Amino acid sequence: MTLLAPAAPASTLKSIAGRSGSKAAASSDTCTTSSAPTSRPLSVESSGLFDPGGYQLARSSAEIGQSPLVLGISGFAPTFLVGLKAVRDDHGPSLAALGGRRLTGFAIVRFIEDGDWYADCPIVLDFDGVQVEICHSKFDELSIGWNTIDTTAAISGWEWFEMTPAWSGADERLEPFIGQELREVALLEWRPSRRDVAADTLAVEFVFGTGRFHIANALDENIIEVGDAHPAFVRHLLDRGAQPD
């Protein structure tokens, strides 16, 4: 995922032009690697533009970094974490606390011209007024935000590009879960028997009475998958009263 600041020059078109294939697929899209858990915050160039070849990262695990405007999305200030422990420590209790709430809405970004899902952008889920914002990046990074993105605001700064991104509440994978009560939330850790580039990647799973879906890392973008996860995923159920193992 290449995160672009608004009003990017034409030279950055190549970072979006690759949205053919899974980026342009409206039906599916993300999974990743990690070693020692660490946060990897964004660092913005003084010019206000992200590196067209991939956004800049500060590698210090002690730093917590956020960008005030990413992809022209109002309120999107991602803090990317790596590894099960980091994500569970920071977000496990809050994710578990969603249990018992209904999924009352969602928002993803689509291009107005053709309806294609722009899978680099965060997926926003609303549980009875509590908004969780999930975004995967690179091979091992996951950002989970809470109540910061304004999906009623237009996505700005894309006048230079031939397509127009906008928030959408339409998605055939998520629509069947609207109105259903959330029963469980789990972190899924990709642990194949033969280690691959996606080993230790995390996905976030939401379980309802009639089914489940998870949001995973499709190696540098998001993917939404419905149903049971691949057996190579190790499931870590999030429980507000349980101590991390």
Side-chain angles (χ1 to χ4, degrees), residues 110-174:
R110 295 187 180 277
F111 288 102
I112 292 175
E113 289 76 6
D114 58 14
D116 282 350
W117 176 29
Y118 186 26
D120 283 0
C121 294
I123 296 166
V124 178
L125 306 174
D126 190 294
F127 291 94
D128 283 326
V130 177
Q131 183 171 287
V132 57
E133 304 143 2
I134 297 174
C135 191
H136 291 270
S137 181
K138 290 203 167 183
F139 290 129
D140 57 358
E141 297 172 357
L142 171 59
S143 175
I144 299 177
W146 299 91
N147 302 307
T148 64
I149 293 176
D150 182 2
T151 60
T152 66
I155 298 174
S156 61
W158 285 73
E159 295 79 9
W160 55 273
F161 190 53
E162 61 188 11
M163 308 290 277
T164 308
W167 289 108
S168 171
D171 188 87
E172 62 182 11
R173 296 157 297 186
L174 297 178

Side-chain angles (χ1 to χ4, degrees), residues 84-108:
L84 174 65
K85 184 179 187 304
V87 174
R88 183 167 54 185
D89 287 354
D90 275 21
H91 299 291
S94 296
L95 288 169
L98 294 174
R101 291 177 174 269
R102 294 175 301 116
L103 179 65
T104 50
F106 66 85
I108 62 175

Side-chain angles (χ1 to χ4, degrees), residues 23-223:
K23 278 191 198 297
S27 61
S28 59
D29 304 72
T30 321
C31 253
T32 298
T33 68
S34 101
S35 52
T38 178
S39 61
R40 296 188 177 179
L42 294 170
S43 172
V44 186
E45 297 287 14
S46 58
S47 64
L49 298 178
F50 291 99
D51 176 1
Y55 59 84
Q56 299 298 307
L57 292 173
R59 292 299 179 182
S60 169
S61 61
E63 294 180 77
I64 299 296
Q66 294 184 329
S67 171
L69 186 62
V70 178
L71 290 165
I73 295 174
S74 177
F76 183 34
T79 297
F80 289 100
L81 301 174
V82 176
L84 174 65
K85 184 179 187 304
V87 174
R88 183 167 54 185
D89 287 354
D90 275 21
H91 299 291
S94 296
L95 288 169
L98 294 174
R101 291 177 174 269
R102 294 175 301 116
L103 179 65
T104 50
F106 66 85
I108 62 175
V109 174
R110 295 187 180 277
F111 288 102
I112 292 175
E113 289 76 6
D114 58 14
D116 282 350
W117 176 29
Y118 186 26
D120 283 0
C121 294
I123 296 166
V124 178
L125 306 174
D126 190 294
F127 291 94
D128 283 326
V130 177
Q131 183 171 287
V132 57
E133 304 143 2
I134 297 174
C135 191
H136 291 270
S137 181
K138 290 203 167 183
F139 290 129
D140 57 358
E141 297 172 357
L142 171 59
S143 175
I144 299 177
W146 299 91
N147 302 307
T148 64
I149 293 176
D150 182 2
T151 60
T152 66
I155 298 174
S156 61
W158 285 73
E159 295 79 9
W160 55 273
F161 190 53
E162 61 188 11
M163 308 290 277
T164 308
W167 289 108
S168 171
D171 188 87
E172 62 182 11
R173 296 157 297 186
L174 297 178
E175 287 167 358
F177 296 100
I178 293 294
Q180 291 195 36
E181 181 180 306
L182 182 66
R183 293 190 173 181
E184 294 178 352
V185 183
L187 294 177
L188 308 178
E189 185 181 21
W190 182 252
R191 298 292 296 274
S193 56
R194 184 173 181 178
R195 190 173 181 85
D196 59 20
V197 68
D200 303 327
T201 294
L202 296 179
V204 185
E205 180 186 56
F206 299 90
V207 181
F208 301 83
T210 61
R212 64 187 67 201
F213 67 85
H214 59 272
I215 300 171
N217 184 327
L219 300 183
D220 205 23
E221 62 184 13
N222 298 295
I223 183 170

